[in-house]
Amino acid sequence: MQRLGLTGGIGSGKSTVAAMLVECGAVLVDTDAIARALTLPSGAAMEPISAAFGNAVIAPDGSLDRARMRSMVFENPHQKAKLEAILHPMIGAECDLQAAAAVGSLVVFDVPLLVESGRWRQEVDRVLVVDATADVQVARVMARSNWTEEMTLSVLALQASRSTRLKAGDAVIFNVGKSFDQLAEEVRALVNRWAGPPTR
């Protein structure tokens, strides 16, 4: 089974490409979805998060108040590191479980911060980067959320630079100015090209 790392900046269209890879027969391991599950009411991460940060970051239903935590993390790198120390080992363990249970020839690890993590490159055979220009990323995020331009740009600033991410990829899909069908065809062609055993 090949292990493909999928990454891309916020608003790049990475989730769309992930869904297309699944249509091609890949098994998807979504680290964002795992993180959300861990921070739902009674999620495995909630007790240590509450102990580390207090009840101020806990929503009334017992889940993580993501907006409050996001604000806290943006303002304080130490708090960010503290949160990551709780979540990342749990996410990694669940990724291993899901990958071990996967059936087929390709498992895709959807990791938004693959480049930033420093460890994921050694965990996968290849890396696929979904790329878009910064202005397109900002426009997409603002169109699908209630984020302001300032909030969106602050998230972009925390992520790896576009040039750093592009250098990390074994292949890049530039997701600007393409129709859905054109994008899907590019994904299918890439999967077909990579159908053989990976070479390192």
Side-chain angles (χ1 to χ4, degrees):
M1 177 177 285
Q2 289 194 54
R3 296 163 65 93
L4 174 63
L6 174 67
T7 194
I10 187 172
S12 63
K14 175 179 57 61
S15 296
T16 300
V17 171
M20 291 173 173
L21 287 165
V22 172
E23 284 292 316
C24 293
V27 174
L28 181 65
V29 178
D30 185 338
T31 58
D32 263 358
I34 292 170
R36 284 193 295 272
L38 289 169
T39 54
L40 289 174
S42 301
M46 291 311 301
E47 185 174 335
I49 286 175
S50 177
F53 296 96
N55 290 332
V57 298
I58 310 301
D61 67 353
S63 67
L64 179 67
D65 186 330
R66 297 174 71 86
R68 189 179 292 268
M69 180 59 80
R70 188 182 300 117
S71 175
M72 186 180 294
V73 165
F74 281 167
E75 294 168 3
N76 190 328
H78 172 70
Q79 299 286 60
K80 179 174 182 285
K82 188 161 66 169
L83 177 64
E84 289 174 347
I86 295 169
L87 285 177
H88 285 186
M90 292 183 173
I91 292 170
E94 180 61 25
C95 284
D96 290 343
L97 285 173
Q98 292 189 19
V103 176
S105 60
L106 178 64
V107 59
V108 175
F109 296 88
D110 183 341
V111 187
L113 301 181
L114 183 148
V115 175
E116 294 86 339
S117 74
R119 73 174 185 88
W120 267 102
R121 189 59 187 91
Q122 288 68 48
E123 301 289 332
V124 296
D125 299 307
R126 293 181 170 115
V127 172
L128 172 59
V129 174
V130 183
D131 181 46
T133 56
D135 58 330
V136 169
Q137 289 178 263
V138 171
R140 285 174 178 166
V141 172
M142 292 177 64
R144 75 186 188 200
S145 69
N146 59 358
W147 287 17
T148 64
E149 183 176 8
E150 183 181 9
M151 290 171 63
T152 308
L153 288 171
S154 68
V155 172
L156 283 175
L158 288 174
Q159 297 185 340
S161 68
R162 187 180 177 196
S163 61
T164 299
R165 193 180 293 111
L166 290 174
K167 289 176 186 174
D170 295 295
V172 176
I173 289 180
F174 183 59
N175 184 24
V176 175
K178 294 174 181 172
S179 69
F180 184 88
D181 288 344
Q182 287 172 326
L183 186 63
E185 179 55 36
E186 190 169 346
V187 171
R188 283 193 295 270
L190 187 66
V191 170
N192 289 338
R193 190 166 82 239
W194 282 355
T199 56
R200 292 193 175 187

